[in-house]
Every structure is written in C-alpha cells, then in structure tokens.
Amino acid sequence: MQLTLIKLGGSLITDKDKPFTAKKAVIARLAGEIKSALRGFRGKLVIGHGSGSFGHTVAAKYKTAGGISGKRGVKGLSLTAEAAVRINRIVAEQFLKKDLPVLSFAPLSMVTAEEGRVKTIFGEQLKLALKRNLLPVVYGDVILDEKRGCCIFSAEKILGIIARQLREKYAPIRMIHCGITDGVYDGRGETIGRLDEAGFDRLSKQIKGSRSVDVTGGMAHKVEECLEMARLGVRSWIINGTRRGDLRKAILGQSVRGTVI
Amino acid sequence: MQLTLIKLGGSLITDKDKPFTAKKAVIARLAGEIKSALRGFRGKLVIGHGSGSFGHTVAAKYKTAGGISGKRGVKGLSLTAEAAVRINRIVAEQFLKKDLPVLSFAPLSMVTAEEGRVKTIFGEQLKLALKRNLLPVVYGDVILDEKRGCCIFSAEKILGIIARQLREKYAPIRMIHCGITDGVYDGRGETIGRLDEAGFDRLSKQIKGSRSVDVTGGMAHKVEECLEMARLGVRSWIINGTRRGDLRKAILGQSVRGTVI
C-alpha cells in the first residue's frame, strides 16, 4: 500500500514575524484539503509540521541547536520542547475540528541522537496507528543527544526516519513538502521543475535560504533531506502550501506547480 | 543514586465535577514544594500525573478503555490522547513557571501494548534526560494495543515501567503517590499506616474506589500497582497532596500522614 508523508512547513503555519503566532486559518484550510483528498485516496498518510516561530524563536535565544551547556542550556531545552508541543497542539486542534483522526507522536519521546545523528528510535506505535487508520502527526522537536545533551530535530528528519522505518510495509513512499514558495527557485527566481544531485550541486549557491529565523537551515536543508530520500527510492514534491487546493491535488497525484526531487 | 517517582493524582490536579478543569493553584503549589525539596535533595525525580477529568471524561464517553471498535472508536482514541496532552500542557506550564526544567514524555509515543499488557517500550530518552538533570514528566495516556487497538495506560503504570527500566542505574527507587486522601483507609475510614499483600487481601473489600469517573479504577488500582512495585523492591508512600507541605516532606524522607506499602 502507498504511503504519503506530508510536511507542513513552519513558515507556512506560523507567522515568522510574530513569535508564538500560528496561522490557524491556513492550518484549518490545509486540514480541509487533506480531509477532502482522503475521500478519494487509498493510501496512508503521515503528517509532519515544523515549529516555525514557536520552537525556533526559543531555540535561537538559548542556542539550543548547539546542545546543552549549563543551567541555561537545560532551561533552553525545556522551553524549546514546550514550544514545539505548543504549535503541535494548535495543529492537532484544527485537524480534529475537521474530524481527522489525528494522533500526535513526540519525536522527543521516541528518538535519541549522538553527535546530532539518530542513535535509537522507536517506531512500533506508528505502525499500529497506521494499521488502525489513524492519522499520525509528528513535528520538529528538540531531542536528547548522548554527547551534546540535545539537538534540534526537524520535521523533515523525523519524516525521513519514518520513511525508513516503514519501507518494508509500504510502497511506494512519497513525500510532499508544503512551504511558502513554488518549490525551489533558481538564481532568477524561477521554479526548478526537477532537481537531482548534480543539479543541486550546480544550484546550491543560488538557492536562497529561508529568510525567517530557522535553526534547521531552510530550503537547502529541505533539498538535502529530499536528495537523501531519493536515494531510498522516496520521491519528494516541494509545493506551495499557500496555493489553495495544491496540497489536495498533490495527495491525489495530480500535477501542481513546484519541484520534484 | 536515589530515584524518586512522584505521582500526582488526577483527582488532586483536576476538578472531578467539571470536565477539562485543572486545579492550577494546586499544581502550582505542588510544583513549588518540589522546587523547594530539590534544594536539599541529592536524588533524581520523575513526575507522573493523572488525566483526571480530562482524559477520563472522553475515555468514558467513547468507551476507549475497551479498545477501538469502528470509526467512533478511532475518534475516541484520538480525543482521549488529545485530552491527556491537554492536562499535561497545564502541568508543564505551572512547573516551568517555578523554573523547574521539565521535559514531558508521551506514553503514547514510547509504549505499545498487547491485550492490555506492555509489549514494547522505549526508555533511552528518559535515561539521557535524568543524566542531564532534567525533570521528566509522564502522564496517564491512551496507548496503542496490537490486539485491542488501544488501551488506557495510567500514570501509575508508566511510572512502574520507568522504575523497571531504571532499576539498574538507580537505587533505592521509591514512589510517592499524592492523592486526596490521607493514604488508604480501612473500613472505618482510618488511615492504614502500613499495608502488605496479606493486609490488602483482607482489606480489599473495604477499600473505597475513587468516587470520580476513573477508568483506571481508583484506589484499588493504585494499591495493586504499589504491591507490584514492592515485589521489585520499590517502596511506595500514598499521601495526601492537599495537605500543604506533605509532598515536600515526603521527598525529603520526612514522616507524613499516609500509607506505606
């Protein structure tokens, strides 16, 4: 059976200029598009969302991406984790309003790292949730790291881990990234329709990073995660979540403006 | 090093007569007692709290304790999980206000069951959190079950699992249950100072169940979990969390009114 992983970008669902402000209307609309797509869809979905101006604001203030150093570092970790759950609560609430059977899974509770790389991971709960037709939701979070104390773990990363965990059970697996641009732009600001490793090397200097505070590195990070997914046979679409209806079309496999990797 | 597991009962921190109403002032006071105790304390703490009138209300409505049956069951699971996180957010917020370095771990994300019994569990994140002097917080939750779809997993149960996971690293391990009674009462309503397996058999018919809606079974359930802990060498104190200062004293090993198991 087919599995589709959907990433809702932090800058799509939160207001980058206002810390701790969610774009509830946008989240509600995206939930509605997912609900609508599910009527004619025979695969499974997993949602992942960024932390946007929630987690990133706190993480930047306390330099949480660098790990834990001293009591202030412990506090930063605690507050960043808190902020990540806070935006997740808002997303879950909007999805529940559309009667979507969401079940949020916390990366902090199920993944640990060592030097910023995944060390241990728990995935049994996710398999059971999909089997029972629930809609798992994960999110960008801070996770514990054996060496550094903690590290930032983006929604892309947790979705990537999930793709690996579920490769034996589901095929094909595809990933849809909903951001605020029409995919990846070239140096002239034009959408690149298709991108592979060689193309990315050529264009990497031209790709603009996200302008908002984003400790996970914006568009370049996203493309790198997509290229790694491509090596596993997972195809990714980077689309514009602000374009009404595009997420629904992308789930249903219809063509939309954006970049395929 | 010593490890103390603290359970804050659902009827202590929520209003049993008003669904989805937390007793914020009580939670804030208990957080203050923990903060104060930590100044003179050289062990590690893990907090667990019940779901009280949050999770239990929804779980009772949708019969979630019985597992998933049909679409309504899926919705019940989704809403019960949502409610469990909601009370956790309130607890975490009050603890953060006292500058306690809380880190919430979601049972749903780290435990699965089969026929109501634990099947798989992930505990690495917890070990790392304690190593870094964070204050882990877990809670009564709904978890996924291979056979039934889901089952209710009380705060006592997750704390019990944690005690088992951490037995190699910490000793002694003790558990403090904060409820709304002066420990376990006998048939005449008097506190039983000490209770063991034989004593519980004699008294089990006299012990009054919690009067509030509680799908995890109230006091009898609590005592059973304590007896199981006793078999592992974990001593439990059942104390009255409404008595100002008693939690602080209990953490510091001072004598307080209640039942020792």
Side-chain angles (χ1 to χ4, degrees):
Chain A
M1 187 180 268
Q2 188 189 115
L3 174 70
T4 302
L5 308 169
I6 299 172
K7 157 83 195 290
L8 306 178
S11 32
L12 174 64
I13 63 167
T14 71
D15 189 330
K16 73 177 167 60
D17 298 322
K18 292 184 198 145
F20 303 107
T21 308
K23 291 181 178 163
K24 283 193 190 177
V26 172
I27 300 167
R29 175 178 55 77
L30 294 166
E33 292 190 28
I34 290 166
K35 177 86 183 172
S36 158
L38 278 174
R39 282 189 203 110
F41 184 69
R42 296 200 140 265
K44 304 275 184 178
L45 295 185
V46 175
I47 312 292
H49 64 80
S51 181
S53 69
F54 284 70
H56 292 317
T57 307
V58 186
K61 180 176 169 191
Y62 287 89
K63 300 186 174 62
T64 305
I68 299 177
S69 112
K71 273 210 167 179
R72 193 175 151 80
V74 167
K75 185 172 183 177
L77 163 56
S78 183
L79 291 175
T80 306
E82 176 66 19
V85 180
R86 229 203 285 180
I87 174 67
N88 173 255
R89 293 297 82 205
I90 296 169
V91 172
E93 187 192 358
Q94 295 302 323
F95 274 62
L96 281 170
K97 276 191 187 165
K98 303 283 177 190
D99 221 19
L100 286 161
V102 293
L103 210 50
S104 294
F105 294 106
L108 171 65
S109 302
M110 56 194 259
V111 191
T112 66
E114 186 172 0
E115 299 275 18
R117 299 191 71 84
V118 171
K119 176 86 188 283
T120 58
I121 158 101
F122 182 70
E124 294 310 308
Q125 78 292 50
L126 215 74
K127 290 173 193 164
L128 292 177
L130 286 172
K131 201 174 122 187
R132 294 285 180 165
N133 290 317
L134 285 137
L135 181 61
V137 176
V138 294
Y139 47 92
D141 202 355
V142 60
I143 64 171
L144 293 154
D145 185 297
E146 281 198 13
K147 291 280 160 57
R148 299 176 190 169
C150 67
C151 63
I152 298 291
F153 204 64
S154 67
E156 275 94 0
K157 279 201 175 141
I158 183 72
L159 288 174
I161 294 288
I162 288 170
R164 276 184 195 85
Q165 292 264 315
L166 298 176
R167 266 205 298 168
E168 285 165 27
K169 279 186 120 67
Y170 296 96
I173 299 182
R174 49 184 195 142
M175 180 108 72
I176 301 170
H177 294 262
C178 296
I180 52 170
T181 64
D182 295 340
V184 184
Y185 295 145
D186 63 18
R188 297 184 313 272
E190 303 281 336
T191 295
I192 300 166
R194 259 171 200 283
L195 198 57
D196 58 14
E197 208 129 353
F200 180 59
D201 286 343
R202 278 196 307 275
L203 285 155
S204 57
K205 284 163 199 161
Q206 302 176 8
I207 292 170
K208 295 165 190 155
S210 157
R211 276 163 309 169
S212 46
V213 183
D214 184 349
V215 284
T216 50
M219 184 60 90
H221 169 76
K222 189 178 302 190
V223 173
E224 276 159 14
E225 293 293 328
C226 291
L227 289 170
E228 196 161 329
M229 284 296 98
R231 275 170 229 131
L232 298 174
V234 174
R235 183 166 286 183
S236 300
W237 280 257
I238 301 180
I239 67 167
N240 193 335
T242 68
R243 287 185 184 273
R244 188 175 295 268
D246 274 13
L247 173 57
R248 182 180 160 277
K249 281 188 202 161
I251 295 170
L252 294 172
Q254 296 164 11
S255 134
V256 293
R257 197 184 301 223
T259 304
V260 181
I261 299 183
Chain B
M1 186 178 272
Q2 189 190 114
L3 174 70
T4 302
L5 307 169
I6 299 171
K7 158 81 196 289
L8 306 177
S11 32
L12 174 63
I13 62 166
T14 71
D15 189 330
K16 73 177 168 61
D17 297 322
K18 291 184 198 146
F20 302 107
T21 308
K23 292 180 179 165
K24 284 192 188 177
V26 172
I27 300 167
R29 175 178 55 77
L30 294 165
E33 292 191 27
I34 290 167
K35 177 86 183 172
S36 160
L38 278 175
R39 283 189 203 110
F41 184 70
R42 295 201 140 265
K44 304 275 185 178
L45 295 184
V46 175
I47 312 292
H49 64 80
S51 181
S53 69
F54 284 71
H56 292 317
T57 308
V58 186
K61 180 174 168 193
Y62 287 90
K63 301 187 173 60
T64 304
I68 298 177
S69 114
K71 273 209 166 177
R72 192 174 151 81
V74 167
K75 185 173 182 177
L77 162 56
S78 182
L79 291 175
T80 305
E82 176 66 20
V85 180
R86 233 206 281 180
I87 174 67
N88 172 255
R89 293 297 81 208
I90 296 169
V91 173
E93 186 192 0
Q94 295 302 322
F95 274 61
L96 281 170
K97 276 189 185 165
K98 303 283 177 191
D99 222 18
L100 285 162
V102 293
L103 210 50
S104 293
F105 294 105
L108 171 66
S109 301
M110 55 195 260
V111 191
T112 67
E114 186 171 2
E115 298 276 16
R117 302 191 69 84
V118 170
K119 177 85 188 282
T120 57
I121 159 101
F122 182 69
E124 294 310 309
Q125 78 292 49
L126 215 73
K127 290 173 193 164
L128 292 178
L130 287 172
K131 201 173 121 188
R132 293 286 180 164
N133 290 317
L134 285 139
L135 181 60
V137 176
V138 293
Y139 47 93
D141 202 356
V142 60
I143 64 171
L144 293 155
D145 185 297
E146 282 198 12
K147 291 282 159 58
R148 299 177 190 169
C150 67
C151 64
I152 299 290
F153 204 63
S154 68
E156 275 92 1
K157 280 205 173 138
I158 182 73
L159 287 174
I161 294 288
I162 288 170
R164 278 185 194 85
Q165 292 263 316
L166 298 176
R167 267 206 298 168
E168 285 165 28
K169 277 187 121 70
Y170 297 96
I173 299 182
R174 50 185 194 141
M175 179 109 68
I176 300 169
H177 293 262
C178 297
I180 52 170
T181 65
D182 295 340
V184 184
Y185 295 144
D186 63 18
R188 297 185 312 274
E190 303 281 337
T191 295
I192 300 166
R194 258 171 199 284
L195 197 58
D196 58 14
E197 207 129 354
F200 180 59
D201 284 345
R202 277 196 307 275
L203 285 155
S204 58
K205 283 164 200 161
Q206 301 176 9
I207 291 171
K208 294 166 189 152
S210 157
R211 276 164 308 170
S212 46
V213 182
D214 185 349
V215 284
T216 51
M219 185 59 91
H221 169 76
K222 190 179 300 191
V223 173
E224 276 160 13
E225 294 291 331
C226 291
L227 289 170
E228 196 160 329
M229 283 297 99
R231 274 171 230 133
L232 298 175
V234 175
R235 184 166 285 183
S236 300
W237 280 256
I238 301 180
I239 67 167
N240 193 337
T242 69
R243 288 186 183 273
R244 190 174 294 268
D246 274 13
L247 173 58
R248 183 181 159 277
K249 282 188 202 158
I251 295 170
L252 294 172
Q254 297 164 12
S255 134
V256 293
R257 198 184 299 223
T259 304
V260 181
I261 300 184

